[in-house]
Amino acid sequence: MSAGPIRLSREARTALRPATTARITGGFWAARRRVNAEVSVPQGPDRLERAGNLANLRAAAGAAPEESGFRGDFPFQDSDVHKWLEAASWQLADGGEGPAEEELSRQVERLAGLVAAAQAEDGYLQTYYQLGPDARRWADPHWGHELYCAGHLLQAAVAHHRATGRDGLLDVAVRYADLIDATFGPGKDETVCGHPEIETALVELYRETGERRYLDLAGYFVDRRGRGSLGDGPPEGSPGPRPGAPYWQDHVPVREATAVAGHAVRQLYLLAGAADVAAETGDTGLRDALVRLWEDMAATKTYLTGGVGSRHELESFGDAYELPPDRAYAETCAAIAAIHFGWRMALLTGEARYSDLVERTLFNGFASGVSIDGERWLYVNPLHVRQDDEHRKAATGDQNAHRTPWFRCACCPPNVMRLLASLPHYMASGDAEGLQLHQYASGSYEAGGGAVRVGTGYPWEGRIAVVVDAAPPEEDWTLSLRIPHWARTYEATVGGEPVAERAENGWLRLRRRWRPGETVVLSLPLDPRLTRPDPRIDGVRGCAAIERGPLVYCLEQPDQPAGLRLDDIDLDPDAAPSPEHRPELLGGVTVITALALPHAVAREGWWPYRSGGTGSAWASGGPKAPEPVPVTAIPYYAWANREPGAMRVWIPVRTPPG
Amino acid sequence: MSAGPIRLSREARTALRPATTARITGGFWAARRRVNAEVSVPQGPDRLERAGNLANLRAAAGAAPEESGFRGDFPFQDSDVHKWLEAASWQLADGGEGPAEEELSRQVERLAGLVAAAQAEDGYLQTYYQLGPDARRWADPHWGHELYCAGHLLQAAVAHHRATGRDGLLDVAVRYADLIDATFGPGKDETVCGHPEIETALVELYRETGERRYLDLAGYFVDRRGRGSLGDGPPEGSPGPRPGAPYWQDHVPVREATAVAGHAVRQLYLLAGAADVAAETGDTGLRDALVRLWEDMAATKTYLTGGVGSRHELESFGDAYELPPDRAYAETCAAIAAIHFGWRMALLTGEARYSDLVERTLFNGFASGVSIDGERWLYVNPLHVRQDDEHRKAATGDQNAHRTPWFRCACCPPNVMRLLASLPHYMASGDAEGLQLHQYASGSYEAGGGAVRVGTGYPWEGRIAVVVDAAPPEEDWTLSLRIPHWARTYEATVGGEPVAERAENGWLRLRRRWRPGETVVLSLPLDPRLTRPDPRIDGVRGCAAIERGPLVYCLEQPDQPAGLRLDDIDLDPDAAPSPEHRPELLGGVTVITALALPHAVAREGWWPYRSGGTGSAWASGGPKAPEPVPVTAIPYYAWANREPGAMRVWIPVRTPPG
């Protein structure tokens, strides 16, 4: 069994179970994972050292009296270390051998040792409160992030244990979890943490240790939320808004909620944790609530890229259909949280739509979070940057659309690292009938009593070959292939013969007696598509986006003709966009060329609104027909890897003259 | 001479000078001013008492040892009192007589007395720093708001002196101004205040006292900004963005700036102060910069309502053409600041366009800030509230689109009060040639050596009658009438005869030998208009707004047929909207009825984006032609006076099938 997240207990009641073995060996994700393994993850310890995180651990251990003060701006600095340890552990679980792996192993043990040494006698571990001048444990549930940090520690410890088999960090986690269990619960401290995360972590610790108290505590935390234990939040001294209960995820019990709301990462970490609880307990009421909330998120609050979180203000979800492309927050961590939630829902229900959205988020709003070279990061992932974005040019903060080597609030980089390092485990699942392929990446997967090998150039190519290496020899076995929701057609063969089965609800289920080595070929259509928004999405009315396969495309300044202003064009919807693979560009991408029609309108006078009759002369560009200009779109995930400039996913579409 | 703001010195070098007498006696603004005088202003002292502002003054005076702690959340609480005193003083300057005026006069003297008593020995006056536990004067230029509060005190004192002739509050202001002048300046403390306001106030104090040092200090502060005296701002403990230099208006010197940026109110208070400096010094370099900045604001960063400030985040301007209707911040105070700036530019340059925008802001983005009954306020003024705006329903903070009786940060209510109380002084001006009418309100105005009376039902009616009561008997004299930029035609008569003159650059200049009692009639066209945005304004692409005269209209839920969802309609651009005056509705408004076409589209599946061919079937409502439904628009300023519900200014326009 290869090590990964979500190792369900035997008692878990889910439709599907994660693959027992999952390896990605080639193609798109292998390349991204190689950069993660060779650049991003190895840089972690130095970044953490420079940001002060490791000094905090040494100081808490009393090992370095000269480092006695807390470093960093946030009480949750330790979680960056925990998340890196989780990422590096999943990386070690990949099983490579060589000097790089040995060095990584040394770093993991060094940092795990720092964490262990920092733990207090009674099991407590958060350096901000161990070192802070006015340190008071558990006194600030709103901003303290204590259970949040504990959650990441638990996840790191589980990953470390699964990857290395060593007990050291797991012992630290168990001691801390026992302290938390002794501190929180009915009749004890009944306050929840302002930032969910402990829930999913406690379930995973239960899975790893078999200690039922952890699952029970996770369930307690899930149900304790939304009952006002955080009050109205702390008084704020700034003129900004008071965060309010949705920010802390304390506005409504999960079971009663009808809409995702508040801080996007907090909401989705909570829902992932609730899905873990539902998976282990079989609680159908909780599951139904999660289905409802996922549907609300997907249908009304998700960007085309899979990104979520419409507001910079409070890093929060907006109203239904409030999806502005320019001010999209779409935090990288929120994309990751949506993937965590979605994959758990896929396992829980067996439905393909959850993996449809996971695929979209992976290839777009998640992959954009790290640069092609693996060295720089995006905190926010907008779908539109204007030509004259003065704010971006002057950007210094985390929340601007600039790639930077690290953030003051460095939650995103190690979060990307841990998802990429564990990514093989999001590809396939199994059940009593057979094996399900949720995502298409060259590699090998074992689940449901069988084993397959996948070979594909996806997403650049639509052909996916699946070799059934092992299946029960004496009985029917089902290989299920997800037909992505964007695919309007598909073709499938077994041994070169078209299959008779048709996909239902997103699954093409091929049930038969398999001979080892038999090959299935699935062909997905990769013609570029123009995609329109629901008319209620006000922020992109009158626009279209270019997509191809699972990839959302964008226009970025460096690829356009000199002098073309991306703010001043319409897309010609009648010109068919054409793809071309460019192996030398941005690590190798397929670009798409389309035709644009520059606005004929020039700025007149001082007022940007014009009253007129019933025509739409202004909006459609004036009387003079403009000359079409070719524009070139790149995959959205690859933007912001060259000089800063304008970018847009949604392009105004020239409307017929009215 | 009737008392009002901006009493230019004799040396001032402006194209126009404010009217010497200005009275509004009837019509729209008289009604709004009556509510201000009878409801809003009289409620002030009680609101200030309940919010703790008056207790702070008593405590600073040492008069109430039991009230020793500072009350309120912000260091600038005193400014609410100062702004109320300014408002009440302008109200007293209206010159009414009766029990209400006597009571108001008593309250003004009582509060002015509290302010005077709170002043420290050396002239300092800010209770937050006089009472605070870690009080340190001038130590926190970013958040301290000390010069900001001082500015409002100076303005209150000038108003009080002009209105009552009494010296008490002016003496307080002079003592404080002298302390500031002794503390700040070249070779002294060279830091600027994080919130501009002192600049405009010092110029006005110079005008009232003739003390040139105050003008010089104002000029110094204007030019000191943008030179990094505030550094990068204070370290912040919150995960939000660090405000950065534009927030504090310290990113670029005013003379070098090419774009309005940062916190909208701070930016515009600064520009108003710079315009005051330019007016008094004749500094053409400064004036040119102000023209450039106004043009940037008007052409790229102003809502149709005249509101400014596109981002909740940091209450700031956005990029050029970033004007989302739903997340418009458009703070009421920013509208007021834009009016302050615009009126000063109108005087400085004599150009009509500044008063065009002042009119638009007054009737829309400013007037919306206070309820019809004068008791409740809006802090933010969005142009779109969705049907299912969960955030609004749960709103408790200042920054939500809920009218509330007072705010935690109560800057807006007394700001509205002071503008309404001094409004007559924004109507007319004079120069060596004659008198200019900038705004149309029934009343009497003296300026430029003449006097006129205006009678009009504007903005409900387009007929404006101007009687010339006095003009130089032996020479030509010019009555100038602003032809609003929204007016595509107009008619004008003198003594019933059409005039030969035509408007140039927004001014219809009628130069002749006038006989007292001669009447000019200007008729402006009030047919409803459909207005389109510049195609670069992404947030409202494909939409139109309904306007009539200077009024922007909106659809609000209570006026629509039962069951109609404002999120789900297109406007039929071919159906002519029709107006109807409804004296019983919302204090008397002209409503406009138009036809809407409900979207035929129903939500399908879980994904709100749809790939298709080149058609726009989804966007234009599907194959089935919907039945048109009448919808009724009300003036934007009157929204949010009934039960909360959806509202929108910009309405999607049905596009012809593509």
Side-chain angles (χ1 to χ4, degrees):
Chain A
M1 184 178 284
S2 63
I6 312 187
R7 193 172 280 177
L8 294 174
S9 77
R10 289 194 187 163
E11 294 73 29
R13 291 182 241 175
T14 59
L16 312 176
R17 300 180 71 90
T20 49
T21 298
R23 299 191 191 285
I24 294 176
T25 53
F28 181 91
W29 287 116
R32 306 297 297 151
R33 295 184 75 241
R34 190 176 312 118
V35 170
N36 190 54
E38 294 178 359
V39 180
S40 306
V41 171
Q43 286 184 347
D46 183 55
R47 304 276 191 220
L48 294 165
E49 186 65 76
R50 283 196 268 167
N53 302 59
L54 303 186
N56 289 336
L57 291 168
R58 287 190 295 266
E66 73 283 6
E67 295 178 324
S68 61
F70 181 81
R71 301 189 187 188
D73 292 324
F74 301 103
F76 49 83
Q77 300 273 141
D78 294 354
S79 64
D80 304 336
V81 181
H82 304 328
K83 274 149 80 176
W84 182 86
L85 275 170
E86 184 189 343
S89 295
W90 296 137
Q91 193 58 50
L92 290 176
D94 247 23
E97 285 180 20
E101 283 76 8
E102 287 171 21
E103 171 59 18
L104 182 62
S105 179
R106 271 194 297 273
Q107 292 291 350
V108 164
E109 295 313 313
R110 181 172 74 89
L111 268 63
L114 290 176
V115 169
Q119 187 167 38
E121 283 289 322
D122 62 354
Y124 184 86
L125 209 174
Q126 185 158 337
T127 63
Y128 181 81
Y129 287 106
Q130 295 171 270
L131 299 173
D134 54 358
R136 283 210 301 137
R137 288 184 192 178
W138 316 125
D140 183 1
H142 300 92
W143 279 118
H145 285 78
E146 286 164 287
L147 295 178
Y148 167 86
C149 287
H152 281 301
L153 172 62
L154 269 49
Q155 288 185 325
V158 169
H160 184 254
H161 187 249
R162 285 185 192 155
T164 68
R166 299 199 190 97
D167 289 331
L169 203 56
L170 190 65
D171 288 345
V172 172
V174 165
R175 286 178 61 207
Y176 199 6
D178 289 342
L179 175 67
I180 290 166
D181 186 48
T183 307
F184 290 88
K188 297 179 268 188
D189 186 334
E190 298 189 0
T191 319
V192 298
C193 179
H195 199 315
E197 159 66 20
I198 188 70
E199 299 83 356
T200 193
L202 281 168
V203 176
E204 209 61 41
L205 188 65
Y206 154 71
R207 291 168 178 155
E208 194 65 7
T209 63
E211 176 53 72
R212 173 88 197 185
R213 279 185 296 120
Y214 304 146
L215 175 61
D216 293 342
L217 187 58
Y220 165 79
F221 279 136
V222 166
D223 280 322
R224 179 67 189 139
R225 284 190 181 273
R227 304 189 188 281
S229 74
L230 291 173
D232 288 336
E236 294 294 310
S238 84
R242 308 178 76 175
Y247 183 80
W248 319 108
Q249 295 296 316
D250 194 32
H251 54 298
V252 64
V254 171
R255 290 171 197 276
E256 298 168 22
T258 57
V260 291
H263 189 275
V265 175
R266 293 169 201 236
Q267 171 74 89
L268 294 172
Y269 277 14
L270 175 60
L271 297 184
D276 279 319
V277 170
E280 294 295 339
T281 61
D283 185 328
T284 54
L286 190 54
R287 186 196 62 199
D288 293 349
L290 296 171
V291 169
R292 188 168 67 230
L293 291 167
W294 183 91
E295 287 176 348
D296 175 70
M297 176 185 77
T300 75
K301 289 161 192 160
T302 301
Y303 285 98
L304 187 64
T305 56
V308 290
S310 302
R311 298 185 179 177
H312 279 242
E313 186 196 12
L314 302 176
E315 308 185 305
S316 72
F317 284 108
D319 290 317
Y321 304 110
E322 179 190 326
L323 290 161
D326 49 354
R327 298 300 291 163
Y329 199 70
E331 185 183 337
T332 302
C333 281
I336 293 165
I339 292 165
H340 286 168
F341 176 39
W343 177 236
R344 283 161 174 79
M345 293 304 291
L347 295 174
L348 196 56
T349 66
E351 292 180 22
R353 59 180 182 167
Y354 298 105
S355 291
D356 278 336
L357 185 52
V358 166
E359 173 179 63
R360 180 173 288 277
T361 310
L362 278 172
F363 275 112
N364 302 287
F366 162 72
S368 58
V370 56
S371 63
I372 301 294
D373 64 12
E375 299 204 348
R376 291 168 305 133
W377 311 87
L378 283 179
Y379 197 107
V380 301
N381 296 273
L383 282 76
H384 180 196
V385 172
R386 288 189 179 75
Q387 204 95 23
D388 303 312
D389 184 339
E390 294 295 335
H391 294 85
R392 183 163 181 249
K393 290 173 193 157
T396 57
D398 295 354
Q399 284 80 4
N400 289 288
H402 259 158
R403 292 196 187 277
T404 53
W406 205 246
F407 301 110
R408 195 169 65 99
C409 171
C411 49
C412 296
N415 222 353
V416 172
M417 294 178 205
R418 70 181 180 136
L419 183 54
L420 281 174
S422 60
L423 193 67
H425 294 270
Y426 292 78
M427 302 286 121
S429 66
D431 64 5
E433 307 295 314
L435 182 148
Q436 301 82 36
L437 281 175
H438 295 252
Q439 310 296 341
Y440 297 113
S442 294
S444 56
Y445 309 96
E446 292 180 32
V452 301
R453 260 179 305 140
V454 175
T456 181
Y458 194 78
W460 312 122
E461 296 164 16
R463 183 179 188 279
I464 299 148
V466 184
V467 180
V468 178
D469 280 332
E474 303 296 326
E475 51 189 290
D476 279 0
W477 187 80
T478 305
L479 172 65
S480 297
L481 304 174
R482 185 178 59 86
I483 306 302
H485 75 133
W486 53 260
R488 280 171 289 175
T489 63
Y490 67 89
E491 293 176 2
T493 60
V494 176
E497 295 298 314
V499 303
E501 294 91 339
R502 301 307 302 164
E504 284 181 32
N505 295 320
W507 286 116
L508 176 63
R509 299 184 194 276
L510 304 174
R511 180 167 184 81
R512 61 199 64 192
R513 200 72 52 95
W514 294 89
R515 294 188 307 276
E518 210 160 14
T519 299
V520 179
V521 174
L522 172 67
S523 296
L524 297 172
L526 291 190
D527 48 312
R529 314 186 300 276
L530 284 193
T531 299
R532 304 274 191 156
D534 183 294
R536 287 163 291 199
I537 303 179
D538 297 278
V540 291
R541 177 171 291 110
C543 294
I546 300 170
E547 297 188 282
R548 180 173 182 264
L551 295 175
V552 176
Y553 276 70
C554 68
L555 299 179
E556 198 183 23
Q557 201 61 48
D559 304 301
Q560 313 315 327
L564 186 86
R565 291 178 59 86
L566 287 182
D567 295 347
D568 291 349
I569 57 166
D570 291 330
L571 193 66
D572 181 348
D574 297 322
S578 62
E580 177 195 0
H581 197 69
R582 299 262 302 271
E584 84 295 350
L585 183 67
L586 293 164
V589 295
T590 297
V591 302
I592 297 176
T593 301
L595 284 185
L597 302 160
H599 294 154
V601 64
R603 181 158 134 187
E604 286 177 22
W606 58 270
W607 191 236
Y609 308 96
R610 193 178 298 179
S611 300
T614 56
S616 55
W618 193 357
S620 59
K624 183 163 167 289
E627 284 293 313
V629 178
V631 290
T632 299
I634 60 167
Y636 171 77
Y637 78 80
W639 86 283
N641 278 284
R642 295 168 293 181
E643 63 273 33
M647 181 277 289
R648 63 189 312 157
V649 168
W650 291 103
I651 312 159
V653 175
R654 189 173 179 83
T655 52
Chain B
M1 186 178 280
S2 64
I6 313 189
R7 192 173 280 178
L8 294 174
S9 77
R10 288 194 190 165
E11 292 75 29
R13 291 182 241 176
T14 60
L16 311 177
R17 300 180 71 90
T20 49
T21 299
R23 296 190 193 286
I24 294 175
T25 53
F28 181 91
W29 287 116
R32 306 297 296 151
R33 296 184 73 241
R34 191 176 311 118
V35 170
N36 191 52
E38 294 177 359
V39 179
S40 305
V41 171
Q43 285 183 348
D46 182 54
R47 303 275 191 222
L48 294 165
E49 186 64 76
R50 282 196 268 168
N53 304 60
L54 303 187
N56 289 336
L57 293 167
R58 286 190 296 266
E66 75 282 6
E67 294 178 325
S68 60
F70 181 82
R71 300 189 185 189
D73 292 323
F74 301 105
F76 50 83
Q77 300 274 140
D78 294 355
S79 65
D80 303 337
V81 181
H82 304 328
K83 274 149 82 177
W84 183 85
L85 275 170
E86 183 189 344
S89 295
W90 297 137
Q91 193 57 51
L92 289 175
D94 248 23
E97 287 180 17
E101 283 75 7
E102 288 171 22
E103 172 59 18
L104 182 62
S105 180
R106 270 194 299 274
Q107 293 290 350
V108 165
E109 296 312 315
R110 179 171 76 89
L111 267 63
L114 290 175
V115 169
Q119 188 167 37
E121 283 290 321
D122 63 353
Y124 184 87
L125 208 175
Q126 184 158 337
T127 62
Y128 182 81
Y129 286 107
Q130 295 172 271
L131 298 174
D134 52 359
R136 283 209 304 137
R137 288 185 193 179
W138 316 126
D140 183 1
H142 300 91
W143 279 118
H145 286 78
E146 285 163 288
L147 296 178
Y148 167 85
C149 286
H152 281 302
L153 172 62
L154 270 48
Q155 289 185 323
V158 168
H160 185 254
H161 188 247
R162 286 185 191 155
T164 68
R166 298 199 190 98
D167 289 332
L169 203 56
L170 191 64
D171 289 344
V172 171
V174 164
R175 286 178 62 204
Y176 198 6
D178 288 342
L179 175 67
I180 291 166
D181 186 47
T183 306
F184 290 89
K188 297 179 270 188
D189 187 333
E190 297 189 0
T191 319
V192 298
C193 179
H195 199 315
E197 160 66 20
I198 189 70
E199 299 83 358
T200 193
L202 281 168
V203 177
E204 209 62 41
L205 188 65
Y206 155 69
R207 290 169 179 155
E208 194 66 6
T209 62
E211 176 52 72
R212 173 89 197 185
R213 281 186 294 120
Y214 304 146
L215 175 61
D216 294 342
L217 187 59
Y220 165 79
F221 280 136
V222 166
D223 279 321
R224 180 68 190 138
R225 283 189 182 274
R227 304 190 187 281
S229 74
L230 291 173
D232 287 337
E236 294 294 309
S238 84
R242 307 179 77 176
Y247 184 80
W248 319 108
Q249 294 297 314
D250 195 31
H251 55 298
V252 65
V254 171
R255 289 171 198 276
E256 298 168 23
T258 58
V260 292
H263 189 275
V265 174
R266 293 170 201 237
Q267 170 73 89
L268 295 172
Y269 277 14
L270 174 60
L271 298 183
D276 280 319
V277 170
E280 293 296 339
T281 61
D283 184 330
T284 54
L286 191 54
R287 187 197 61 199
D288 292 349
L290 296 171
V291 169
R292 189 168 66 231
L293 291 167
W294 182 90
E295 287 176 348
D296 175 70
M297 175 186 78
T300 75
K301 289 161 192 162
T302 301
Y303 285 99
L304 187 65
T305 56
V308 290
S310 302
R311 298 184 179 178
H312 279 243
E313 187 195 11
L314 301 178
E315 308 184 306
S316 73
F317 284 107
D319 290 318
Y321 305 110
E322 180 189 327
L323 292 161
D326 48 356
R327 297 300 291 163
Y329 199 70
E331 184 183 338
T332 302
C333 281
I336 293 166
I339 292 166
H340 286 169
F341 176 39
W343 176 234
R344 283 161 175 78
M345 293 304 291
L347 295 174
L348 195 57
T349 65
E351 292 180 23
R353 59 181 182 166
Y354 299 105
S355 291
D356 279 337
L357 185 52
V358 166
E359 173 179 62
R360 180 174 287 277
T361 310
L362 279 171
F363 275 112
N364 302 289
F366 162 71
S368 59
V370 55
S371 63
I372 302 293
D373 63 12
E375 300 202 348
R376 290 169 306 132
W377 312 87
L378 283 180
Y379 197 108
V380 301
N381 296 272
L383 282 76
H384 180 196
V385 172
R386 288 190 179 74
Q387 204 95 23
D388 303 312
D389 183 339
E390 294 295 335
H391 295 84
R392 183 163 182 251
K393 289 175 193 157
T396 56
D398 295 354
Q399 283 81 3
N400 288 288
H402 259 159
R403 292 195 187 277
T404 52
W406 205 246
F407 300 111
R408 195 168 66 98
C409 171
C411 49
C412 296
N415 223 353
V416 172
M417 293 178 206
R418 68 182 182 138
L419 182 55
L420 282 173
S422 60
L423 192 66
H425 293 270
Y426 293 77
M427 303 284 123
S429 65
D431 64 5
E433 307 295 312
L435 182 147
Q436 302 82 36
L437 281 174
H438 295 253
Q439 308 297 340
Y440 298 112
S442 296
S444 56
Y445 309 96
E446 292 180 32
V452 301
R453 261 178 303 139
V454 175
T456 181
Y458 194 80
W460 311 122
E461 297 166 13
R463 184 180 187 277
I464 298 149
V466 184
V467 180
V468 177
D469 279 334
E474 302 297 326
E475 52 188 292
D476 279 0
W477 187 81
T478 305
L479 173 65
S480 297
L481 305 173
R482 185 177 60 85
I483 306 301
H485 75 132
W486 52 262
R488 280 171 288 174
T489 63
Y490 67 91
E491 293 175 2
T493 61
V494 176
E497 296 297 317
V499 303
E501 296 90 340
R502 300 308 301 164
E504 285 181 32
N505 294 321
W507 286 117
L508 177 62
R509 299 183 195 277
L510 303 174
R511 180 167 183 81
R512 61 199 67 193
R513 201 69 54 94
W514 294 89
R515 293 188 308 275
E518 211 162 11
T519 299
V520 180
V521 174
L522 173 68
S523 295
L524 297 173
L526 292 189
D527 48 311
R529 313 186 300 278
L530 285 192
T531 298
R532 304 274 191 157
D534 184 292
R536 286 164 291 198
I537 305 179
D538 299 279
V540 292
R541 177 171 290 109
C543 293
I546 300 170
E547 298 189 282
R548 181 174 183 264
L551 296 175
V552 175
Y553 277 70
C554 68
L555 299 178
E556 198 182 22
Q557 201 60 48
D559 304 301
Q560 313 316 327
L564 185 85
R565 291 177 60 87
L566 287 182
D567 296 345
D568 289 350
I569 57 166
D570 291 330
L571 194 65
D572 182 348
D574 297 321
S578 62
E580 177 196 359
H581 197 69
R582 300 261 303 270
E584 83 296 352
L585 183 68
L586 293 165
V589 295
T590 297
V591 302
I592 296 177
T593 301
L595 284 185
L597 302 160
H599 294 153
V601 64
R603 181 159 132 185
E604 285 178 21
W606 57 271
W607 191 237
Y609 308 94
R610 193 178 298 178
S611 301
T614 56
S616 55
W618 192 359
S620 59
K624 185 165 165 288
E627 284 293 313
V629 177
V631 289
T632 299
I634 60 166
Y636 172 76
Y637 78 80
W639 86 285
N641 277 283
R642 295 167 294 182
E643 64 271 34
M647 181 276 290
R648 64 189 309 158
V649 168
W650 291 103
I651 312 159
V653 175
R654 188 175 181 81
T655 52

